[in-house]
Amino acid sequence: MRQAVRTDDTLRALRGLLVFVVGVSSLGCAQSPTGPKGDPWRFLPGTVLPVSNPAFRGGRQCWVYLPPGYAQSDRRYPVLYLSDGEIAFDATYGMHVNRTCEDLIRRGEMAPIIVVAIESAGQRTYDYTPWQAYYWQPNGGGDLYLKAIRDTLKPEIDRRFRTRPEPENTAIAGSSLGGLIAVYAAYAYDSTFGRVAGFSPTYGYASGAIRPFMTNHGRPAFVVRFYQDTGWPDDNSLGGIEDELLSQGFVLGLDLMSVTAEGGEHSATSWEHRFPNALRFLFPP
């Protein structure tokens, strides 16, 4: 009889614990979705907000990721500006950068950051190319794109959100042509962007003009972290850019990370796979 009583007590305790867990889980599920097409399954997730400014590229759509705990603190955060913003988060074929940030932040593997994802709006070849070339028309509008970020979008983000606006706390990243314009920005606009990531950057654009540009410019004064990667054998070549960076005084493992991923492809899936290491390197805890 005593054993039966103990068993009944144990079952009641387990039922109570189960009700508590379900209740807490339902609170987590009541949070807003964490991406443009996200789902609300995480407990106390970060938040993605749609943002647009008529003065920025005619009201170009952006999405701003705020890390877990943003609303509960007065902390200020580094900011990552990310091109091809329509695939940055939870959209179809997206890279789920918001999920990656949350996982790494919760495990203490990166510092909490704000991510500003900028829609390409069908203007990739114009916005992400620094020079004109005979292919991929229209092209050559990269400076206008970067100046619009620097002079219009960034001040708006700094005004609306608790950012750390200094160049050493402002990063820019992109993939393919977006990687090319990010690397260009690190040199041409280093007083704005002090951290850079190029995923499979199209260094061959305009007959490889990026390398002589980097050589002539010299090491950017404010760049503190430089990340680049590519897949192999079917992806863009890094084209000697690693040697150029080393010749300018960047040090592998210190302020430079250069990755060639065997089997990596020129695709959002491969970039998503490599994104965590880039974030760990760009924003160490």
Side-chain angles (χ1 to χ4, degrees):
M1 180 64 69
R2 290 181 181 176
Q3 182 64 38
V5 171
R6 288 173 184 170
T7 301
D8 290 343
D9 290 343
T10 300
L11 288 173
R12 280 194 293 270
L14 288 174
R15 289 192 192 101
L17 178 60
L18 179 60
V19 169
F20 173 77
V21 170
V22 170
V24 170
S25 298
S26 67
L27 289 175
C29 291
Q31 301 298 316
S32 299
T34 60
K37 294 184 179 180
D39 59 72
W41 66 273
R42 287 179 181 259
F43 178 63
L44 297 179
T47 304
V48 175
L49 305 174
V51 173
S52 62
N53 180 346
F56 177 68
R57 315 300 279 171
R60 180 81 59 91
Q61 183 65 62
C62 301
W63 295 272
V64 176
Y65 166 78
L66 302 176
Y70 180 90
Q72 289 77 38
S73 76
D74 57 2
R75 179 175 180 172
R76 292 188 171 273
Y77 299 87
V79 181
L80 168 62
Y81 290 86
L82 187 58
S83 297
D84 288 312
E86 64 272 20
I87 64 168
F89 299 136
D90 292 332
T92 304
Y93 308 115
M95 294 191 292
H96 310 289
V97 173
N98 51 328
R99 312 290 187 174
T100 300
C101 286
E102 287 173 12
D103 287 343
L104 297 178
I105 290 167
R106 292 178 192 283
R107 294 200 298 263
E109 296 178 25
M110 68 173 287
I113 65 170
I114 293 171
V115 181
V116 181
I118 307 167
E119 185 181 32
S120 65
Q123 298 294 315
R124 295 187 80 256
T125 62
Y126 184 71
D127 286 346
Y128 301 168
T129 52
W131 307 282
Q132 292 188 346
Y134 67 90
Y135 43 84
W136 294 337
Q137 297 292 338
N139 55 45
D143 279 299
L144 293 176
Y145 173 69
L146 293 172
K147 287 177 181 176
I149 296 175
R150 180 193 66 186
D151 299 337
T152 305
L153 180 60
K154 185 177 184 300
E156 174 78 0
I157 296 298
D158 291 339
R159 181 183 68 81
R160 292 183 60 174
F161 303 98
R162 297 194 309 276
T163 69
R164 299 176 67 182
E166 310 84 6
E168 61 269 26
N169 290 303
T170 305
I172 185 167
S175 54
S176 194
L177 283 177
L180 173 66
I181 200 62
V183 170
Y184 176 79
Y187 278 76
Y189 299 89
D190 67 309
S191 60
T192 299
F193 305 105
R195 298 173 190 256
V196 58
F199 298 87
S200 302
T202 312
Y203 285 148
Y205 176 79
S207 301
I210 187 66
R211 184 170 184 181
F213 171 76
M214 294 166 68
T215 301
N216 293 333
H217 185 284
R219 176 166 178 155
F222 295 99
V223 171
V224 296
R225 296 260 165 163
F226 193 111
Y227 174 93
Q228 64 174 7
D229 72 22
T230 192
W232 186 87
D234 298 317
D235 201 352
N236 287 330
S237 170
L238 295 182
I241 299 299
E242 181 179 316
D243 292 337
E244 181 64 39
L245 293 165
L246 293 173
S247 73
Q248 293 183 3
F250 285 94
V251 178
L252 284 168
L254 181 62
D255 51 14
L256 171 62
M257 187 172 185
S258 184
V259 176
T260 297
E262 185 172 357
E265 300 176 343
H266 198 83
S267 68
T269 300
S270 286
W271 300 325
E272 179 183 4
H273 182 72
R274 301 199 292 266
F275 229 101
N277 277 339
L279 290 170
R280 291 184 185 100
F281 177 71
L282 290 176
F283 302 102

